[in-house]
Amino acid sequence: MFHILLYFWAILPISLWVWASQEHFNTNINDEQLRFEKYSFNRFELKHYRGKVKDLFHFAHDNYLHKGYPYDELRPIACIPKTRNFEDPDDEITNDVLGNFSVTLVDSLTTLAVMNDRPKFAEMIKLIEDTFPNKFDIDSTVQVFETTIRIVGGLISAHLYATDPSKKVYLGEEYKGSLLQLAKDMADRLLPSYLTLTGLPVPRINLRTKFDPITIELVSENNAAAMASPIFEFTMLSYLTLDSKYADVTRYAMNKTWALRSDLQLLSMSFDPQTGQCYSQISGVGASIDSFYEYALKSALLFNDEGLLKIWQDAYNALNTNSRADWFYTNVQSTTGQLQTLWIDSLSAFFPGLQVLAGDVEDAILKHMMALKLWNTFGGLPERWEFQNMAAFEVSRGSNINDLRSLVPLEWYPLRPEFVESTYFLYRATRDPFYLNVGVTILESIETKFKHKCGFGGFQDVTTGEPQDRMETFILSETLKYLYLLFDVDNELHHTRDNVLFSTEAHPMWLTPEVINNYEHNKYFNDTVYKRHLKACHKRDRGSAFNENKRSFVGGKLRRFAKSLFTTDQKPKEDVNQHPKPEFKKELTIDTSSVHEQMCFSMPVGNKDKPEWLHSHILSHFDRLFEIDRRYNSSLIRPEHMKNEVPMEIKRGFYEKWAHDKFSHSRPMPSTESLEIVLDLPGECQLLRLPDGSIHRNTLGGRTKIRLEQIEPGKMDVYGRILNPELFISARRKDLFKSTCDKADKLYTPTLLYRATVLNGIYLPVGANLTINQKTVFKTQSEENTFRNLFGQNSYNQLMLDCIPIINLLMQ
Ligand SMILES: *[C@@H]1O[C@H](CO)[C@@H](O)[C@H](O)[C@H]1NC(C)=O
Ligand SMILES: *[C@@H]1O[C@H](CO)[C@@H](O)[C@H](O)[C@H]1NC(C)=O
Ligand SMILES: *[C@@H]1O[C@H](CO)[C@@H](O)[C@H](O)[C@H]1NC(C)=O
Ligand SMILES: *[C@@H]1O[C@H](CO)[C@@H](O)[C@H](O)[C@H]1NC(C)=O
Ligand SMILES: *[C@@H]1O[C@H](CO)[C@@H](O)[C@H](O)[C@H]1NC(C)=O
């Protein structure tokens, strides 16, 4: 027995879409922007921009060495070191990253390698060796995740460069492996954080004393990204040292993190690592969960791990079904999939880059566009931005609230790399010069707005343009590295035969066949502490319900340990029920004996035609360039300090060259309305995507979310076309409707039909159908009958909703 729940969800109001062309096109153009007339780049120009980035890097790096080193960071405006808060060890905001271990020096090392600066690279390695004669025997409590990605990752990647004869910065005999020894030393100091009953790491540890001076507050909450992520750096370390404990301990924690997902395959963000109790049931792609996805996919690719690939596929499908919106991913409640917040994080701008890696370039282009619009509006990406401006409603009622601050609940932009990162990946995938132009615009901002006396700093407040006197290490290790690589089209990383993957801190990692082979034959696991630990974890799992099917580890010894925390009505820390429950429409019961694990993936079938985006799609064929401006016109409000800036996509050259082209129009705003229906069914879920964009389903398990457009003659549809009344004339027939609908006369002359436009986050192009194979979808006749009664099917095999045909949802 199982239930079908059919929900009807109203999607976000779309009536606010107003196109603000006037303001943009009246903006003055100055001569400097003439550059944009040229919409291609020759090698000389690319070299010019690459050189600029290199100069900027050296400017800040030299300043750090002279005025910041040996401390962790240099303040770019005050020109003094920014250090750990030595007085207050509990000041985790400062101390998580600043371990008093010269983190800028270590984290920026691979940028020198990427720029082929062999002398400086060798000099810095020498300096690192001199800086840590006692390795990392430092009395600092730091965050395991941050220290892993910046220190362990930075050291391992630099070690790869120094020891790989194919690299320009290869050091040969000169280098004796000190970086790997340091990485191992640090990893050994961090690894005890995994010695919990669950095998999930606590977030912080003291490098010298482990847990001695740590207060419970510092270790009681960890997030999904931090619990899963060290797998990437630690597994690399295992390959290089042959000691598999790093890989095994973190791989176990990855499994365990994923085991905390909901039935919808959505992972929440925040947990108690010692019990697995969920604190916040919000899921999404931004802060606290971002690198969970990143490392599921990247580790799968680098370490050839099918299990991780499955995690990525299931997680990505669940996101696409529940959280994917047209221009970004929303935060949803992990158990219901319902919208939870009206904001998105700046950190989520990395996701398009990951989508490129996963092969979903088409959607990556859309999601990247949102980050671009935020950059246009605020001059950087606000840490958090409200996509729905509640204050605007007040304004429309005559009040004069123009509180920009309410639009950006977290107002800073510390010159984070995620937007450049995605721009780089999209350029590599599309070779579209549009992305080079985005890079040039970012470069100009770095030169004119973010460059200070001694380095670079972002905005303290994007609404005022107030600068931030802080140069986070990711500015040198990521922002400038990705920008350099964008312009350095001939970089050795782009021509190598190795499978290079960037860590979440932009440290390149690769494994040669020799390293892989050596590891597979000679790895060992001799550390009895961790051996016993994993054995105990597995034993607890056997006595509990932690396995692939149940996906929780309630039970066994752990249950006794954490009994009170695992009651079914456990309360999340935050109030996650601030939004109304979906309107419950119908519930029915179907007999079935077999319930399969949900498996939902989209299999593209061979397309002989070249994908269009390989050409300059954005410039010449993308008709949605201004859709975001229109749709979010009330929440993309430019602050005073941005008033005179021309958005990059309408600078003179661009506009003149492309605006009159027959393909280059902005899609008109739709006047139709849309709604979503959600079907939750047990069983397997498989989508087959055909070359024409149609989707075929042989099974109907898992969650199916279909966006339906209500189409009416004369209205503008979501594809930017006026709806043809013909559609309705052919529909004016009795046999279109099932018998139970016949009584309502109005149905013979329908003024409204439905059309499916999105299925589980996959967009259906104009004319595409969604077909369901009735032979394989239903296991029994009664299942089939119940389904038909729920929807209804007309003689054209179209399914119907409340007697209204869904013209492209076909039973076959
Ligand atoms: C922090 O690092 C500096 C420079 O290496 C060192 O002189 C100082 O003793 C360290 N402070 C602490 C509290 O460890
Ligand atoms: C993680 O889960 C996969 C798939 O269930 C399993 O094959 C693998 O052995 C697990 N790894 C560890 C370290 O528990
Ligand atoms: C690990 O243990 C095995 C078996 O006791 C031993 O042969 C091997 O030398 C050890 N390896 C290391 C690196 O300690
Ligand atoms: C949104 O667009 C409308 C129509 O062009 C305009 O009147 C309004 O001022 C815009 N709102 C904002 C906040 O820019
Ligand atoms: C969709 O289905 C209709 C009706 O069966 C058919 O005429 C049309 O060609 C189909 N479209 C595609 C893209 O297969």
Side-chain angles (χ1 to χ4, degrees), residues 690 692-694 765-771 796 798 807-808 810 812:
L690 305 175
D692 63 17
S694 291
V766 172
N769 294 320
L770 172 52
T771 56
Y796 292 93
Q798 295 165 337
I807 59 169
N808 61 347
L810 309 168
Q812 274 179 354

Side-chain angles (χ1 to χ4, degrees), residues 110 114 157-158 160-161 481 493 500-503 506-510:
T110 60
V114 163
S157 174
L160 292 177
Y161 268 104
K481 185 187 284 148
L493 290 179
V500 179
L501 287 145
F502 290 89
S503 79
H507 297 301
M509 305 275 188
W510 62 93

Side-chain angles (χ1 to χ4, degrees), residues 248 251-252 255 538 548:
D248 292 353
R251 183 69 180 81
Y252 180 83
N255 274 5
H538 284 299
E548 268 310 293

Side-chain angles (χ1 to χ4, degrees), residues 70-71 86 100 102 131 138-140:
Y71 293 97
F86 296 107
N100 202 32
S102 312
T131 305
I138 307 168
D139 182 16
S140 289

Side-chain angles (χ1 to χ4, degrees), residues 16-23 389 392 395 402 629-630 632-638:
L16 278 172
W17 300 5
V18 197
W19 168 221
S21 59
Q22 214 85 37
E23 190 197 327
N389 183 359
V395 177
N402 192 6
D629 305 64
R630 182 175 72 212
Y632 297 104
N633 131 305
S634 63
S635 33
L636 286 173
I637 298 173
R638 305 179 113 210

